[in-house]
Amino acid sequence: MNVETLENLQLIKESARDFAETYIRPHVMEWDEASHFPVDLFHQMGHYGFLGVLVPEHYGGAGLGYQEYITVIEEISQVCGSIGLSVAAHNSLCTNHILSFANEEQKHRYLPKLASGEWIGAWGLTEPNTGSDAGRMKCVAERDGDYYVINGAKNFITHGASGNVAVVIVRTGELLDSHGMTAFVVERGTPGFYAGKKENKLGMRASETAEMIFDNCRVHKSQILGEEGEGFIQSMKILDGGRISIAALSLGIAKGAYQASLKYAKERHQFGQPIANFQAISFKLADMATKIEASELLVRQAGELKDQGKNVTKLSAMAKYFASETAVEVSTDAVQVHGGYGYIKDFPVEKFYRDAKLCTIGEGTSEIQKLVISREILRGK
């Protein structure tokens, strides 16, 4: 990175860190306990540019790149993984899908509202019976003149209840046809589009996860993103970038757990000295620091490729896989370093421990990442 980029990243790091410390940290456990999604906070984040990081300025965004975006997600996630997850989903899934594949009219209609935080975005691919196996989706859209009638459900959707607009991928063709799915933009309030069950989760509890249900929902053909039949192909490209988001989220959670452990190990005394002096603890800290450093290098390299417009499928999968597993390992060790105090909610590591697991599942499990990586390397890419 050049000097200008590094200076820019430092300013963004400080801005995101100050915001997280001022507006998020005081409420972390309150929101977690209540499973409360703080909508007002997201409206506020829009004013700071955190909800349109990748959106060009002429659409109302910050006009920044993936390095800056990684930094925003990482800093927020060091304080609260739930808020980091929601910022990631809003930016890289809904907003980025519109930015990448919408026509100019659609971009001018939706991007300024999403980037400013006036609207919160959702993105729907997963269904109750089709997670990674998206080709078997049962949510379908049937053509009726200039309209499509959508029926079915999407689940595990971030902002599925509170999102003002959703990008939804539904089947318009034959089952298992990769060109048989289409992406639509559907606004909240459209008849036949409503929220279903809100999930009660182990972690990431302040990031809303809910069903989106479509019951004879009529959507005009002008709401298609790109062309009919391109939805699945578009989604795979969006998920390449989304994996960088989850990798950055994982990195932030791991750093938060590590910093809490480092602080605790220096302050906690046993047998007349800080527990950091004991090899069992110091070696854990060494492992944590090393895995975090390796994760960051992978995440940053993936972000650099993305900024250059190069193929990022393999590296984003590697970054997501390694960083998410690191988040789980580091947060597990963090609880162990804290001993009994790591198991109670007065210390932050129990929440990092709960939040981290989602990173190995969302936007493609670790097993799916290994499948993607192996396919890419066997193709010689």
Side-chain angles (χ1 to χ4, degrees):
M1 288 182 228
N2 59 40
V3 174
E4 184 179 348
T5 301
L6 289 171
E7 290 177 350
N8 198 34
L9 284 180
Q10 186 59 38
L11 289 172
I12 289 164
K13 180 188 286 284
E14 291 170 2
S15 176
R17 181 176 296 170
D18 289 347
F19 183 92
E21 291 293 339
T22 303
Y23 299 108
I24 299 175
R25 191 177 293 281
H27 307 286
V28 167
M29 293 312 297
E30 168 196 341
W31 294 337
D32 182 78
E33 293 280 327
S35 195
H36 171 67
F37 175 56
V39 174
D40 290 343
L41 177 79
F42 281 78
H43 295 325
Q44 193 174 6
M45 280 197 284
H47 297 302
Y48 281 75
F50 299 152
L51 298 187
V53 181
L54 303 169
V55 176
E57 292 181 53
H58 59 273
Y59 296 126
L64 300 172
Y66 264 79
Q67 296 300 339
E68 292 86 356
Y69 175 54
I70 289 166
T71 298
V72 169
I73 299 297
E74 176 199 336
E75 288 298 324
I76 290 172
S77 302
Q78 286 186 53
V79 174
C80 181
S82 297
I83 304 304
L85 173 62
S86 276
V87 173
H90 174 95
N91 274 282
S92 71
L93 298 180
C94 178
T95 304
N96 197 41
H97 200 136
I98 294 171
L99 176 63
S100 300
F101 299 108
N103 58 41
E104 283 302 310
E105 182 181 347
Q106 292 167 331
K107 288 179 182 179
H108 282 286
R109 180 173 181 175
Y110 294 112
L111 291 178
K113 291 181 178 179
L114 289 165
S116 68
E118 179 184 348
W119 279 13
I120 294 169
W123 191 79
L125 179 65
T126 300
E127 298 181 8
N129 295 309
T130 57
S132 299
D133 187 14
R136 298 181 192 272
M137 66 172 55
K138 295 180 180 179
C139 189
V140 299
E142 295 184 355
R143 186 76 180 261
D144 181 17
D146 287 341
Y147 287 82
Y148 288 77
V149 182
I150 304 176
N151 281 287
K154 299 290 180 179
N155 77 328
F156 297 147
I157 307 304
T158 306
H159 314 146
S162 296
N164 304 93
V165 63
V167 173
V168 188
I169 296 85
V170 300
R171 188 157 57 82
T172 51
E174 296 300 316
L175 202 67
L176 299 178
D177 180 4
S178 62
H179 295 282
M181 288 165 270
T182 302
F184 291 85
V185 182
V186 187
E187 296 180 24
R188 186 70 60 184
T190 302
F193 171 39
Y194 53 96
K197 176 189 176 185
K198 179 181 175 181
E199 304 296 347
N200 185 12
K201 300 174 296 182
L202 168 71
M204 300 292 193
R205 293 174 58 81
S207 177
E208 178 187 88
T209 304
E211 287 180 307
M212 295 193 302
I213 298 173
F214 299 88
D215 183 8
N216 290 319
C217 178
R218 291 175 63 83
V219 179
H220 194 266
K221 64 181 181 180
S222 63
Q223 296 302 99
I224 291 176
L225 291 174
E227 300 294 330
E228 181 177 327
E230 295 180 347
F232 181 76
I233 307 301
Q234 292 175 4
S235 298
M236 295 303 101
K237 292 177 181 177
I238 292 302
L239 286 172
D240 276 349
R243 287 168 182 147
I244 299 175
S245 297
I246 302 300
L249 169 67
S250 304
L251 180 62
I253 290 172
K255 284 188 176 183
Y258 166 71
Q259 291 295 343
S261 299
L262 186 63
K263 180 175 182 290
Y264 182 82
K266 290 178 178 178
E267 295 174 351
R268 171 70 165 169
H269 282 66
Q270 290 285 273
F271 305 104
Q273 58 183 311
I275 63 171
N277 288 355
F278 298 113
Q279 190 178 77
I281 300 300
S282 64
F283 277 19
K284 279 191 186 299
L285 294 171
D287 283 340
M288 294 158 88
T290 302
K291 291 172 184 175
I292 288 169
E293 194 75 18
S295 297
E296 181 150 23
L297 289 170
L298 270 174
V299 177
R300 292 291 177 184
Q301 189 179 354
E304 187 172 350
L305 282 183
K306 188 70 175 171
D307 279 338
Q308 292 172 358
K310 296 180 179 178
N311 185 297
V312 75
T313 301
K314 180 180 74 174
L315 206 59
S316 66
M318 285 179 168
K320 197 270 188 189
Y321 166 55
F322 190 83
S324 64
E325 293 292 341
T326 291
V328 171
E329 292 163 9
V330 168
S331 60
T332 300
D333 281 346
V335 172
Q336 198 70 19
V337 168
H338 281 72
Y341 290 108
Y343 206 68
I344 62 174
K345 293 181 182 293
D346 293 339
F347 287 77
V349 293
E350 71 84 30
K351 182 176 182 298
F352 287 126
Y353 179 75
R354 288 185 290 110
D355 287 348
K357 189 57 194 169
L358 184 277
C359 297
T360 69
I361 299 170
E363 294 194 37
T365 62
S366 291
E367 291 73 21
I368 289 294
Q369 303 314 313
K370 288 192 274 190
L371 181 64
V372 171
I373 295 163
S374 61
R375 283 177 176 173
E376 291 294 301
I377 59 178
L378 290 170
R379 287 174 185 158
K381 293 184 178 180

